[in-house]
Amino acid sequence: MATVTHKELEKDHLAHHDHVHDHDDHHETFVTKYIFSQDHKMISRQFLITAIVMAVVAMTMSIIFRMQLAWPGEKFAFINTLLGDKWAPEGILNPNMYLALVTIHGTIMVFFVLTGGLSGTFSNLLIPYQIGARDMASGFLNMLSYWFFFLSSAIMMASCFIDDGPASAGWTIYPPLSALPEAIPGSKLGMTMWLISMTIFVVSSLLGSLNYIVTIINLRTKGMTMTRLPLTIWAFLITAILGVLSFPVLVSCVLLLIMDRSFGTSFYLSDIYIGGRALDNVGGSPILFEHLFWFLGHPEVYIVLLPALGITSEVIATNSRKPIFGYRAMIGSMLAIGFLSFIVWGHHMFMTGMNPFLGSVFVFTTLLIAIPSAVKAFNYITTLWKGNIQYTPAMLFSIGLVSSFITGGVTGIILADSTLDINVHDTYFVVAHFHIVMGLSAIFGMFAGVYHWFPKLFLRMMNKKLGYVHFWLTFITAYGVFFPMHFLGLAGVPRRYYTNSNFPMFDNLVDINEIVTICAIIGALSQGVFLFNFFYSIFRGEKAPQNPWNSNTLEWTNPVAHIHGNWPGAIPHVERWAYDYSKPGAQKDFIPQTVPLQEGEHDGGGH
């Protein structure tokens, strides 16, 4: 078999780029440029703006059900305006709609904002830029990935407008609520639409992930060895591998659920009575559903977290003006997190009555995953130590991520222990834990990425002062929302309940719920600062210079313009790793990856 040299590959790539460039200059229309685009930069913007819209919807939902929790039975005219008389008569939230809002809020945030929004935006933007490629391996599959994501989002949103209401079984859609259409109103068509939406979402995720993996492995520019890749690219690669291995399990899980709902099977159903009538189902087990769901569900936590951690690595190194501490340890810790994430799913199931020996195995593996997570946290702190820190909004959000990652990680150690977990599992303690460790950390990482790479996304700069206002309001209110929930959980307040007013022992905790809700409202309103800054800057922001942060990675070497193929002429070659900041003896405190090594100079990537 004939071998193809790197030069020949690049020549072909360049010829293809010139052909595409000529073709597009003459024939590109509004539809091919902005809607059915195959350009990775445009697709990343499509993912980002879709995710922002979905985040606003999910945030609004959370405010509505938080107000019910803080002031149960109170009448709020705006809730009636939003939901109508059926779901909020006289402004009092209907209990069925409460459950539906919790379900759709969780689903949108986990899948459509933190998974699709984070990976879709930044993997698309940064992979070709940072490895020195003209575009993704397949522009067409990349376009399909976005449109499947959009279709999935549209179906999920449409489910909110049907007569019986959207899915109401929680974002984990446990049977029997999800498996029996007659169980509750949200088990009917709304649940079916949820299942269809998530299946299409998995198609989108797989198309994107396979594209990312192939691009990183096959299309790196000359000199870009695996140990010279920025940590962002390592994070996106490991995330994509996790997605390819775990998302198909969700499809199998959903397929069996559809068969139980529509074809009379009993995979998850057994000995069920509805209205005093026994159903025919025997032999199934809802625990099987939990095993399948959480086999995806726990890698999903890291599919959400790893891109945020990769973004943070890049932002912290750039703005500390220091090389990232422990580059290879960071790669090793991400690989270890990726591997271990597949053997810890049982810690979601300590309450199911699993064999105590099996429980102890999951306790051990869950505690083990704290080690590579701690390596990352310590390496961030060591990179910051004695750095010449530039406090950009992106840097503040990255430091915020380190804070929330550690805070949430500490409570994770408590929940990893089955004997402790059984006491607090169905309380607000778990809500507090996963919102801080996964929700906040990922959102902070996403904001850091938007502020840092906005010049690459839209060729303009965001307003720094508004960025500072946005960070401090978000950081303070986020902790105001989720930190007090730990105390509610330790006091035994159950999660998922519409109201706790029937339990006199919780009467003295109402004040805490009110504080949480007030912080949530302020936090939600403060996102208006970001939204204004974001959309105003797209059109009216200051024009971006070529390398505003004095960064080393390849994306800052191309012109401040969106051109097909990313670089005019030849693709730059890489001569060193990505983190040569403040190198002794160097004239400047940064040395781009394209600058050749001097005689006797050491390459931090290990060459």
Side-chain angles (χ1 to χ4, degrees), residues 211-223:
N211 221 346
Y212 306 152
I213 294 166
V214 171
T215 306
I216 292 169
I217 289 172
N218 287 342
L219 294 184
R220 301 190 309 278
T221 186
K222 186 178 179 186

Side-chain angles (χ1 to χ4, degrees), residues 78-92:
F78 90 95
I79 296 181
N80 178 264
T81 306
L82 285 174
L83 301 179
D85 289 332
K86 181 176 181 181
W87 298 117
E90 298 182 5
I92 301 172

